[in-house]
Amino acid sequence: MRGSTRRRRGARPRAHGGTGSGRGRGGPLGFVSRPRPRPPRAGSAVFGRADCQHRAQQGTRTATSPADDKDTALLEGQNMTTVGFIGSGNIGSTIARLAIEAGHQVVLSNSRGPETLADTAAELGPRASAATSGEAAAAGDIVVVTVPIKAFPNLPDTPLAGKTVIDTCNYGPERDGHIPELDSKSLTSSELLLRYIPDAMLVKAFNNIYFKHLLSLARQAGAADRSYLPIAGDSAPAKAAVTEFIESIGYSVVDAGPLADSWRQATDTPVWGTPYGPTSNEKGQPVGEDAIRAALATAMR
């Protein structure tokens, strides 16, 4: 992602987990920065973006304040990064809101169709639009997959080919049903996801923190109490892109290794939720790099 130095705190929606709420399955975001302008990327999904912009013009925009108008004018003419969302529940809509506050464009989708996201897109404002999952995948420079693991077979694999994809999902047998490869621990959930989108550049992120903590703990770069989030992936360029995105919204990053090691940040591991404090404390507690590394190191399989 392309980030710069201007930051401001965004609105605070609800989100946690790939889907669902509470201390369920997944994770979100907080503080923000404006991305730098960049030239159009070769092979970018122009049709997907134009279609989503058309949807926004057809009723997903909200009235803006003078400050919002000024902000929009400052961004006008810049080729901002577009973040596509496959899944727009608590975690998806929260990341989307904070991405917008950072100056990014967002394209939302869910399994029920773009018309069910009209209110959400309207609330998020002129840099948000609703689309089908295939359109959101095609439109995104980065695509966030935030769905139940049982929905992996329904993902649009073709438009995700070559894309940096963020996986926020956690395995929950009570929701997803029992999956032999995950029950036996022969695969991580991210490795399973990669079977369905084999040509994507996958990075595990945002799955280990309670959504209210993620919203409240975001800080500007350089802040003494800036918190860290773990990421895991096999592609160095994709990790770099996701790191820049995470840093643009108020967190620093700990590289937790390849996707094969992403189990270290899965549900019920030491780094999952606990370092940021109990859910009864909605503000959470800042967590530094050393604490995240120590939690990852003590995970047992």
Side-chain angles (χ1 to χ4, degrees), residues 23-232:
R23 183 98 177 197
R25 311 286 171 185
L29 332 156
F31 211 92
V32 298
S33 69
R34 186 181 311 286
R36 297 188 299 269
R38 63 187 181 89
R41 189 178 64 176
S44 62
V46 176
F47 172 77
R49 294 186 187 181
D51 180 72
C52 295
Q53 289 165 0
H54 173 73
R55 292 180 190 277
Q57 292 165 359
Q58 294 302 308
T60 58
R61 299 191 180 215
T62 55
T64 57
S65 67
D68 292 330
D69 290 336
K70 180 180 178 182
D71 207 34
T72 300
L74 287 171
L75 291 169
E76 201 170 84
Q78 296 185 13
N79 182 31
M80 308 311 298
T81 300
T82 298
V83 185
F85 290 83
I86 300 178
S88 298
N90 288 335
I91 175 58
S93 60
T94 297
I95 297 175
R97 184 181 300 274
L98 295 167
I100 285 171
E101 291 295 329
H104 307 302
Q105 304 277 347
V106 305
V107 182
L108 306 173
S109 74
N110 63 18
S111 61
R112 299 181 302 279
E115 63 280 358
T116 66
L117 292 167
D119 290 344
T120 301
E123 180 189 354
L124 291 173
R127 291 199 293 276
S129 59
T132 67
S133 60
E135 290 166 346
D141 299 305
I142 284 180
V143 179
V144 179
V145 171
T146 177
V147 299
I149 286 175
K150 64 182 179 182
F152 285 177
N154 302 322
L155 293 171
D157 60 317
T158 299
L160 291 174
K163 296 287 183 81
T164 294
V165 174
I166 297 175
D167 166 23
T168 77
C169 311
N170 284 322
Y171 177 45
E174 70 284 356
R175 178 197 62 197
D176 299 311
H178 284 279
I179 300 173
E181 297 93 331
L182 301 185
D183 288 339
S184 68
K185 298 179 170 56
S186 62
L187 288 179
T188 65
S189 61
S190 291
E191 290 176 307
L192 179 65
L193 174 56
L194 201 57
R195 287 187 171 182
Y196 294 98
I197 52 171
D199 296 319
M201 299 184 293
L202 195 63
V203 177
K204 189 78 169 187
F206 300 124
N207 71 303
N208 74 308
I209 185 170
Y210 180 50
F211 74 97
K212 292 182 180 179
H213 293 167
L214 190 48
L215 287 168
S216 65
L217 291 174
R219 301 289 188 271
Q220 295 188 39
D225 61 346
R226 185 166 160 108
S227 291
Y228 282 72
L229 296 171
I231 67 170

Side-chain angles (χ1 to χ4, degrees), residues 286-298:
V287 182
E289 179 180 5
D290 290 345
I292 294 299
R293 291 192 183 280
L296 290 167
T298 57

